[in-house]
Amino acid sequence: QFEWLLSALADRISSLSSIVLRYHNITDKSLQLLSQQLPLLKSLLTIDVLGCNIVGEAVPDLLNAISSSNVRILILSGNHLDQDVGIKIGEELAYCPLKILEMADCGLTPKALISIFKHIVSESCQIRKLDISGCEQFTPEQYICEHIEYALQQCPKLERLHLRKVGLRDYGLTRVIEGKFGVLVTHSAKLTQNSCIKNEIMISEYL
């Protein structure tokens, strides 16, 4: 299906600015083909493959190809990625020019999250918005939030971080808020007005 689409658009492929294939069964094989075609897609800015039954084998290769392209927005939400894929995604982010990366409900593991927040502090990383909502629930110790706090302290480019449905608790919330003054953090926990004032940070509430 995806191969047919690229063939049908052959005459206009260089002028495509976005590819949106939400809820189509394109799988990883199609992503591999897209990675190969990216050098020809010189005007492409957005790739949206939300809910496309992607398990992620081809995602690291896609991110690698994006590093030498003009793509700035990648939406992978709704694809349940294999455990090791998230770690490789984190490694690729260190050199990736993406500004928006959405991976909500991808089942990211703690190891994947550590890899992601470890590598987005790279000077070459351009991420402005990151959505990891719906990852594996944080443990009661909330140790993942210490990695998030460090990344926010070291990564002033990050403007929006979405953390809905992750099991965020008071300790973890404090670590995230104190990580970076002024970053917009969205989550599913109910905050009191006092906590917002105390931490001097804008919080969007998702109940």
Side-chain angles (χ1 to χ4, degrees):
Q1 184 181 30
F2 187 66
E3 293 87 339
W4 176 86
L5 176 62
L6 288 179
S7 176
L9 295 172
D11 294 338
R12 293 180 292 172
I13 195 169
S14 63
S15 62
L16 282 176
S17 62
S18 64
I19 293 178
V20 180
L21 295 169
R22 293 189 168 199
Y23 303 111
H24 284 76
N25 188 29
I26 66 169
T27 71
D28 288 79
K29 181 180 178 181
S30 298
L31 279 192
Q32 291 174 343
L33 178 61
L34 178 57
S35 299
Q36 296 167 7
Q37 296 294 318
L38 270 186
L40 301 177
L41 297 164
K42 301 184 183 301
S43 300
L44 189 64
L45 299 174
T46 301
I47 299 174
D48 184 348
V49 288
L50 183 149
C52 289
N53 295 321
I54 294 166
V55 297
E57 295 175 358
V59 174
D61 289 337
L62 178 62
L63 288 172
N64 184 267
I66 285 175
S67 65
S68 57
S69 76
N70 291 315
V71 175
R72 295 297 178 264
I73 300 173
L74 177 60
I75 300 175
L76 291 168
S77 298
N79 295 289
H80 197 79
L81 305 178
D82 286 345
Q83 291 187 2
D84 294 337
V85 170
I87 298 173
K88 295 177 182 178
I89 289 175
E91 294 169 354
E92 291 293 338
L93 288 181
Y95 311 99
C96 193
L98 284 174
K99 292 189 176 180
I100 296 176
L101 177 59
E102 298 185 9
M103 295 186 290
D105 300 316
C106 285
L108 295 170
T109 65
K111 289 183 178 180
L113 295 178
I114 290 173
S115 177
I116 289 168
F117 286 105
K118 174 183 176 181
H119 290 94
I120 64 171
V121 302
S122 165
E123 292 185 3
S124 299
C125 183
Q126 300 296 316
I127 292 290
R128 300 292 192 274
K129 175 187 175 183
L130 177 63
D131 189 347
I132 58 167
S133 302
C135 60
E136 288 189 6
Q137 293 283 292
F138 292 176
T139 62
E141 295 79 14
Q142 304 277 285
Y143 73 92
I144 291 294
C145 294
E146 296 174 5
H147 295 273
I148 297 175
E149 178 185 20
Y150 176 78
L152 291 175
Q153 290 172 343
Q154 303 298 318
C155 188
K157 297 173 185 176
L158 185 62
E159 298 170 354
R160 295 178 67 93
L161 174 61
H162 291 247
L163 294 170
R164 296 185 292 271
K165 301 181 294 182
V166 299
L168 197 60
R169 301 187 181 186
D170 287 345
Y171 173 77
L173 179 59
T174 300
R175 297 276 63 77
V176 172
I177 289 176
E178 292 183 355
K180 181 66 177 179
F181 169 75
V183 72
L184 175 61
V185 181
T186 63
H187 64 96
S188 59
K190 178 70 173 179
L191 291 179
T192 65
Q193 183 178 8
N194 287 338
S195 66
C196 292
I197 295 174
K198 178 181 177 181
N199 293 288
E200 299 180 299
I201 192 167
M202 181 182 290
I203 304 292
S204 291
E205 296 181 8
Y206 287 77
L207 304 178

